[in-house]
Amino acid sequence: MSQTVLITGCSSGFGKLAAKTFSANGWNVMATMRSPEKDTELASLPGVALGRLDVVDRKNVHSVVRDTLKRFGRIDCLVNNAGYGGNALFEQFSDLAMNQMFATNVFGPVNAMRAVMPIMRAQKQGVIVNVSSMAGLVGLPGHSFYSASKFALNGLSEGMALESEAFGIRVHLIEPGAYPTTSFNASTEDHLDSGDQQLSDYSRKLRAQIEAIGQQMAQQGGALSNPQEVADKIYACATDPSMPIHNPTGADAEMLEVMIQTAGSRQKFIEQIAAMLLPQQ
């Protein structure tokens, strides 16, 4: 029997590429998104079924899991890819924006994992791959709430990885850097004009500084790499038991990992990040 993967957030970017990658390798794929009627590619691929899913709706999540089992008979891997970012300083984020970010980036994966883990325990095997971000490795200025949501997902995944080993379930994190497909570059929530003039001015100055660094790295062949490498890393985690829990992916994310390892202390690492990213006063 072919193995089955359920992937959230397949309308574009990493999710769509992951669905294509699993299909090309003979897996059954339940590719989910909020508007499957807009799909023009995935439904025609071998072994791929589409599901309508909003990860913050627990009833919807459990319904899609039941549909996956009815269609394919098992769920061997869950890929939590759905999520979004936000450009804003801490004070610029409203309560609504904050709650929506955590609902999607943290409690969305929680809903999906709670729905599939009893199935995986009954099977005595399974893999969960949570797509996080390099913002889960360091609190990024201008993305404080986004970083907070990804730190939460990272901590949750680390604890789960230790807990779930006894049940035959592996848990892995993918921590992409800046890619053309990610919300880090083209956020779905931009709050740069929120708040007073001082906040707005500094927020835009900070954003310009970060974009300039990203362009510089891209010109050097660094930051904006091929997003297929993220899909390939997701597939590797699903199929290779030797993969680590943390998987920074992309030149900039891998650079951050090296900086963390070589800085000597977390404080020195944060000081290096500040010197690199913060605009001169």
Side-chain angles (χ1 to χ4, degrees):
M1 182 182 294
S2 296
Q3 291 184 293
T4 299
V5 61
L6 191 165
I7 309 174
T8 70
C10 290
S11 60
S12 63
F14 301 145
K16 176 173 278 190
L17 288 172
K20 291 180 177 180
T21 300
F22 277 93
S23 172
N25 284 277
W27 282 58
N28 298 318
V29 181
M30 177 60 81
T32 69
M33 60 197 78
R34 286 195 282 188
S35 302
E37 69 277 2
K38 296 180 181 180
D39 170 73
T40 59
E41 295 181 71
L42 297 181
S44 62
L45 297 179
V48 176
L50 300 186
R52 185 182 305 277
L53 178 61
D54 183 347
V55 294
V56 304
D57 184 337
R58 273 181 281 184
K59 290 183 178 180
N60 187 191
V61 171
H62 283 272
S63 175
V64 167
V65 168
R66 288 193 299 269
D67 289 346
T68 305
L69 289 176
K70 183 176 180 180
R71 181 181 290 267
F72 297 122
R74 58 188 294 116
I75 298 175
D76 298 281
C77 180
L78 167 67
V79 178
N80 279 311
N81 171 71
Y84 69 96
N87 299 329
L89 302 176
F90 171 82
E91 286 187 84
Q92 292 179 305
F93 247 74
S94 66
D95 287 348
L96 176 61
M98 173 187 67
N99 290 332
Q100 288 177 335
M101 175 148 315
F102 274 78
T104 301
N105 292 359
V106 181
F107 297 113
V110 166
N111 291 338
M113 291 187 289
R114 281 181 166 169
V116 304
M117 286 192 70
I119 297 164
M120 292 180 174
R121 282 193 290 108
Q123 295 170 171
K124 298 183 180 180
Q125 64 175 20
V127 182
I128 294 172
V129 183
N130 290 328
V131 179
S132 181
S133 168
M134 70 176 182
L137 300 173
V138 58
L140 294 175
H143 299 269
S144 51
F145 275 111
Y146 180 63
S147 287
S149 71
K150 294 303 185 179
F151 265 71
L153 183 61
N154 281 17
L156 177 66
S157 300
E158 285 183 1
M160 287 181 61
L162 301 177
E163 293 173 357
S164 303
E165 186 177 355
F167 306 119
I169 301 171
R170 291 188 283 111
V171 180
H172 300 275
L173 283 158
I174 307 294
E175 293 145 327
Y179 286 85
T181 61
T182 62
S183 57
F184 184 82
N185 295 302
S187 176
T188 55
E189 293 290 341
D190 193 324
H191 305 275
L192 299 182
D193 289 325
S194 299
D196 59 35
Q197 192 65 48
Q198 182 185 36
L199 291 173
S200 180
D201 289 347
Y202 184 73
S203 184
R204 291 197 170 278
K205 187 175 182 180
L206 174 62
R207 186 62 187 164
Q209 171 78 0
I210 293 175
E211 287 179 345
I213 293 172
Q215 291 172 1
Q216 181 181 4
M217 294 184 68
Q219 291 171 357
Q220 296 172 352
L224 302 184
S225 306
N226 184 352
Q228 179 61 43
E229 67 188 23
V230 176
D232 291 340
K233 190 68 69 71
I234 291 171
Y235 183 76
C237 286
T239 56
D240 183 356
S242 70
M243 292 294 287
I245 296 173
H246 286 271
N247 294 274
T249 307
D252 47 353
E254 293 166 4
M255 178 188 70
L256 278 183
E257 184 182 38
V258 172
M259 289 173 64
I260 292 171
Q261 294 172 348
T262 59
S265 71
R266 185 74 180 181
Q267 179 60 35
K268 289 183 179 179
F269 169 62
I270 296 298
E271 290 171 358
Q272 292 174 3
I273 293 297
M276 181 190 309
L277 296 182
L278 296 183
Q280 297 297 315
Q281 298 296 318

